[in-house]
Amino acid sequence: MKIFFLFFLLTFSLEIRAQPLISSTWLSKNLCDNNIKLIEVGSSYNSYLVEHIKCSQFTNFYKNGWRENINGVAMQLPKIDILLSIIESMGISEKDHVILYPKKISNYYAMAETTAIYFTFKLLGHKRISILDGGYPDFKKQFSLFTEEGSFKLEPAYDYKINFDESILANTDDVLFNKKNNFPLVDSREKDFYLGINKLKAFKKFGTIKNSINIPSKWYLESRGLKFNNIKLINYIFDQSGIGSKENVIFFCYSGLESSINWFVFHELMQKKNSKLFEGSLFEWEAKNNPIYKNF
């Protein structure tokens, strides 16, 4: 009886935690379970209608309210009640296991949009949240019979309970604290943006936050696709970064998208719980008249 009870506790604990990454095989065996809410993160609703994984709903990161323009600053976290309305409209409760998957490898930001929504759920205190490693292309390659066309929609829920976790969210004061104390600030953009050689058209200046280091988020994705590199390679990238295992780390990019991949790798896959995402990133940093530096 005692052994059975311990086994039950272990199984229950694993179910509550949920793994941050799940495989296509695992999903194929758990499709359409009542406690699983599967969400396709895509840019085209028509693509979703043509084909998607069975029992998955659709969301567009940009059009469905996950981020918004606030006081002229792009891609900011909206108010909690807006996020709550998005989640409840999908029939999600705080006890559900939410699984996100990116749709197309041709979308440069597909995984970044997915990890940004993952981060949002974690910020609201959601416990059971995962990403499908390899996204839709990997799943379809292995389990094409488990895809469908048309739309799938659950009845809205109105009882989602938020347990806001501000420990993973950095603001400009946190960035200034890290700068003052020589804690790592990690620019997650491509090297040319970090150096100040090129810039995003919508951003005013070339460069980055002074004394930051550069770990491009695409390094963590196998062949820059929708599948994460193995943990051995992820640890190698970390070892080469020069970041201490106990240091407070803040990740940023232009608007919290690419840096959400780095945060996901550090905080969720590597379990380095001293990692924060500066979700407002350079757009917020520059809007508050903080300096931007070129690295050459």
Side-chain angles (χ1 to χ4, degrees):
M1 178 65 75
K2 189 177 293 185
I3 293 175
F4 174 80
F5 181 69
L6 289 173
F7 176 78
F8 172 79
L9 287 178
L10 177 61
T11 303
F12 180 76
S13 174
L14 288 172
E15 286 180 349
I16 290 298
R17 278 205 308 270
Q19 296 300 311
L21 277 182
I22 61 162
S23 68
S24 293
T25 299
W26 185 95
L27 181 58
S28 71
K29 296 176 181 178
N30 293 275
L31 269 183
C32 303
D33 284 1
N34 288 335
N35 67 328
I36 288 179
K37 300 297 186 292
L38 186 59
I39 303 174
E40 176 175 302
V41 182
S43 56
S44 170
Y45 186 61
N46 286 334
S47 172
Y48 164 80
L49 292 176
V50 170
E51 57 178 15
H52 56 263
I53 300 175
K54 284 184 176 180
C55 300
S56 62
Q57 300 182 83
F58 174 83
T59 195
N60 183 306
F61 179 76
Y62 306 99
K63 294 181 179 179
N64 292 134
W66 294 101
R67 297 295 183 272
E68 62 182 25
N69 187 311
I70 299 176
N71 297 325
V73 183
M75 299 287 289
Q76 300 295 290
L77 276 165
K79 292 181 179 179
I80 295 297
D81 59 344
I82 294 176
L83 294 173
L84 187 61
S85 67
I86 299 170
I87 292 170
E88 290 185 334
S89 71
M90 292 183 160
I92 296 171
S93 78
E94 75 278 0
K95 295 180 181 179
D96 286 327
H97 184 180
V98 175
I99 299 173
L100 307 166
Y101 71 89
K103 183 63 176 284
K104 289 189 175 183
I105 197 169
S106 58
N107 176 6
Y108 183 80
Y109 291 106
M111 183 53 78
E113 293 159 11
T114 305
T115 50
I117 294 177
Y118 180 103
F119 173 83
T120 305
F121 271 99
K122 294 292 283 192
L123 188 63
L124 297 177
H126 202 94
K127 300 297 183 185
R128 305 182 67 196
I129 173 79
S130 304
I131 291 174
L132 175 62
D133 199 18
Y136 185 78
D138 184 76
F139 185 88
K140 184 183 178 182
K141 188 184 299 182
Q142 299 181 59
F143 303 103
S144 59
L145 293 178
F146 292 162
T147 63
E148 62 185 5
E149 61 182 27
S151 64
F152 178 82
K153 188 69 177 175
L154 295 172
E155 290 295 320
Y158 300 103
D159 58 350
Y160 190 91
K161 295 177 177 61
I162 291 173
N163 185 21
F164 197 78
D165 181 10
E166 62 181 10
S167 70
I168 62 174
L169 180 65
N171 56 32
T172 51
D173 288 338
D174 295 316
V175 174
L176 291 168
F177 176 84
N178 269 36
K179 284 174 62 65
K180 181 180 179 181
N181 293 279
N182 294 317
F183 290 139
L185 297 169
V186 179
D187 188 333
S188 307
R189 300 172 301 161
E190 294 296 307
K191 194 78 172 182
D192 58 332
F193 287 154
Y194 168 73
L195 291 175
I197 296 170
N198 291 312
K199 73 176 184 67
L200 192 69
K201 184 180 293 186
F203 196 68
K204 296 177 182 179
K205 300 176 181 178
F206 291 84
T208 189
I209 298 174
K210 191 174 184 179
N211 297 328
S212 63
I213 64 172
N214 184 220
I215 307 177
S217 62
K218 290 292 183 179
W219 288 8
Y220 291 115
L221 299 173
E222 187 178 291
S223 300
R224 298 191 169 211
L226 299 179
K227 190 174 182 66
F228 283 86
N229 277 313
N230 63 66
I231 195 65
K232 182 178 180 180
L233 187 51
I234 285 173
N235 281 323
Y236 173 77
I237 295 170
F238 174 78
D239 291 340
Q240 296 301 308
S241 71
I243 298 174
S245 61
K246 295 183 179 180
E247 289 185 297
N248 297 313
V249 186
I250 294 177
F251 299 99
F252 70 93
C253 53
Y254 274 122
S255 56
L257 271 177
E258 294 159 287
S259 49
S260 70
I261 294 178
N262 287 27
W263 173 86
F264 176 79
V265 169
F266 270 62
H267 193 276
E268 300 296 284
L269 299 186
M270 299 181 71
Q271 291 293 299
K272 296 188 180 300
K273 299 303 182 182
N274 53 346
S275 310
K276 292 185 176 184
L277 175 63
F278 181 25
E279 201 285 324
S281 284
L282 287 177
F283 273 103
E284 181 180 335
W285 179 257
E286 198 276 335
K288 294 185 177 180
N289 297 314
N290 290 300
I292 304 288
Y293 292 88
K294 288 184 179 181
N295 282 311
F296 68 92

